[in-house]
Amino acid sequence: MNLYDIKEPCDIKSCSFEELNELAGDIREFLIQSISKTGGHLSSNLGIVELTLALHYVFDSPKDKFIFDVGHQSYVHKMLTGRLKDFSNLRQYKGIAGFQKRGESVHDPWEAGHSSTSLSAALGMAVARDLDGSHFHILPIIGDGALSGGMAMEALNQIGSEQRNMIIIFNDNNMSISKNVGAMDEAFTRLRTSRSYTHLKDDLKHSLSTTRLGSNVLDTMKRVKNAVKDNIVDTSIFGEFNIDYLGPVDGHNIKNLVKVLKIAKQHEGPIVLHVITQKGKGYSFAEHDEEGAWHGVSQFDPKTGQSLAKNPPQHKSWSEVISATVLDLAHDNQDIVAITPAMKSGSKLQKFFETYPQRSFDCGIAEEHAMTFAAGLAAAGKRPFISVYSSFLQRAYDQIHHDVARMKLPVVIGIDRCGLVGEDGETHHGVFDIAMLRPIPNMILAQPKDSEEAQNLIYSAFQQNQYPYAIRYPRGSVPYKKLSAYSYIEAGTWSYQDTGEPQLVVISYGSDVDKIVQKAEANQLSLRVVNARFFKPFDTEMLEELCAMQLPIIVYESDVQIGGLSSAIVEYANDHGLKNTFVRIGLRDHFVEHGSIPKLRKVEQVDLGTLFQVIKDMLKEHSCE
């Protein structure tokens, strides 16, 4: 079958297994070539090709519901549901999303960008189906990394109790973004390699070779469940939740996958089908990746595997700047420990883990646990640094609020990937953390404008020992030079730079500050550009001085306005009788879709072009008064 002829999943149902295997090869080649041009999630999709083909071969989407946990591994599903022609615009503005998207296709019943949600969603749909008296299959597809998340465990608990019909596809590739860690991973490893399961797998293979799906298959399933309970109790994760188990099955053998899926289709109640896959299969660079470099990729040369995105000379990613500073400080401070919830590679903490293995902790995909774990360390006198992507920090809100800030524990929180992140879209934009953390008492929240300030803020965070201290930093790179000595920055202080005798004030933060200065100087505009590096506490003394200048004031932010920097300023001005009018530029009250960061900033009118048009209009108006 020609890959480009597939418009609906039913188009593959007449294929022979030989044709399906040929199709799998074509899909892999397409994925490598296409993603090399657009960027995207490569390894997870290469690993799920045969499984996705088998699922669509046996089940009937959109009547049957496929829920891909996280959703970044749904590219093959999109290709089989009529969206292959759109892959040239994958993750681009107004193009197809890199995750399942309900508004994009009837074949996408759920959408997510965070892990461990699929089982809860599937149970909700199963209960709704049964209340309506409907009959269709619900298939959450969840990986071993996501299955270790607390939310997935909570869902399994109720799934075992409710006993609703659903088929949980356990896509086990022994990887999340980086190598999995923890007792759950060790249990899965024992499950994969147990002699009991090896024998049971042979029994299952024999049963599948028969023409009748009868008592021998059901007996095999019972033996699987009994063996879990009787022989390897410490790995009986699913059996102890009262959920039947079938597997493990080779996730790249389409013929066997189809047979086992047909058995699961006849099962009453919840059942787990354990499928062993290889992340990155079919592309050698991705197959041998143990650090997550091929999980999500920018444009690359498919022949050499070399990324086409290079940092300029003397630049480091913001994540590298932060982690390098923490590592440097840890040399003299034995109490500093580093924590990551399964993002060691993305947060650039590998060097810290290598240098101080006894002081490094990967908690797995468990932001809530990781944050309270950090709180416990701080309560016992250690100085934890925890790095969490802004989008995932939302999952630890209660822990920051209740366990960290309420007890004034000096946890240093690195909020990575803050602001608009681009092609991953709505679920990943880190634009809410300022509004999220500002209302919490005892918090210090800051963002550096450059690498020098970043190093000094990290130093300052560890120098104080009274409050939780969060430092946000964006995706991308910044000019970097390691400081020979650090300087302490007092919490709540701002700085400013004039580009002439000020005629207008711009208050902003992050790397935009220097860009505004440079653009103002290039255009010979006389501004006072304020580096509002602290959101909480903030520099009320400087704000009052700025208001006393009786100049127009623009507050320019690239995050949500509601609860953000401009909200803080307007609230203070109102409560303290400051009569100034502030022009606010920021993200409005909606979720921002996917696209390149420059494109999104322009569309959302938070780009420098928009800012400077407002500046020129205000200067013109002010000069006429």
Side-chain angles (χ1 to χ4, degrees), residues 592-619:
V592 178
E593 59 183 292
H594 59 273
S596 70
I597 294 175
K599 178 67 175 180
L600 293 179
R601 290 188 71 144
K602 188 171 183 179
V603 169
E604 295 296 324
Q605 297 184 308
V606 294
D607 60 311
L608 289 182
T610 298
L611 169 65
F612 273 83
Q613 186 58 57
V614 173
I615 289 172
K616 290 174 182 177
D617 291 344
M618 290 180 67
L619 286 174

Side-chain angles (χ1 to χ4, degrees), residues 31-41 75 86-92 297-300 423:
L31 285 170
I32 294 166
Q33 297 300 324
S34 181
I35 296 173
S36 74
K37 297 180 178 68
T38 63
H41 290 93
Y75 292 9
D86 302 315
F87 265 72
S88 60
N89 294 316
L90 175 71
R91 302 167 78 240
Q92 298 177 31
V297 296
S298 57
Q299 295 173 319
F300 65 95
E423 290 81 0

Side-chain angles (χ1 to χ4, degrees), residues 94-216:
K94 297 301 181 184
I96 59 171
F99 302 84
Q100 279 188 295
K101 199 77 172 171
R102 297 202 315 156
E104 193 176 284
S105 172
V106 294
H107 296 281
D108 292 357
W110 181 252
E111 57 187 61
H114 296 180
S115 81
S116 312
T117 69
S118 62
L119 300 185
S120 300
L123 180 59
M125 290 184 188
V127 170
R129 173 200 62 198
D130 295 348
L131 290 173
D132 291 340
S134 299
H135 300 281
F136 55 85
H137 297 281
I138 298 170
L139 300 102
I141 300 103
I142 184 168
D144 46 318
L147 195 54
S148 68
M151 187 175 177
M153 293 292 104
E154 293 170 13
L156 285 175
N157 186 50
Q158 190 178 359
I159 289 169
S161 174
E162 288 282 344
Q163 288 294 301
R164 308 282 176 166
N165 282 359
M166 72 167 67
I167 302 168
I168 299 169
I169 307 298
F170 174 25
N171 177 30
D172 181 5
N173 57 30
N174 197 24
M175 285 280 286
S176 51
I177 293 178
S178 301
K179 266 289 189 185
N180 291 330
V181 297
M184 284 288 288
D185 179 61
E186 293 171 6
F188 291 150
T189 299
R190 290 193 294 271
L191 191 60
R192 297 177 200 114
T193 58
S194 164
R195 281 191 63 193
S196 299
Y197 277 98
T198 302
H199 293 315
L200 288 165
K201 188 167 67 171
D202 292 339
D203 290 344
L204 181 61
K205 183 178 180 181
H206 173 73
S207 298
L208 291 174
S209 67
T210 65
T211 56
R212 297 175 57 191
L213 299 176
S215 59
N216 54 352

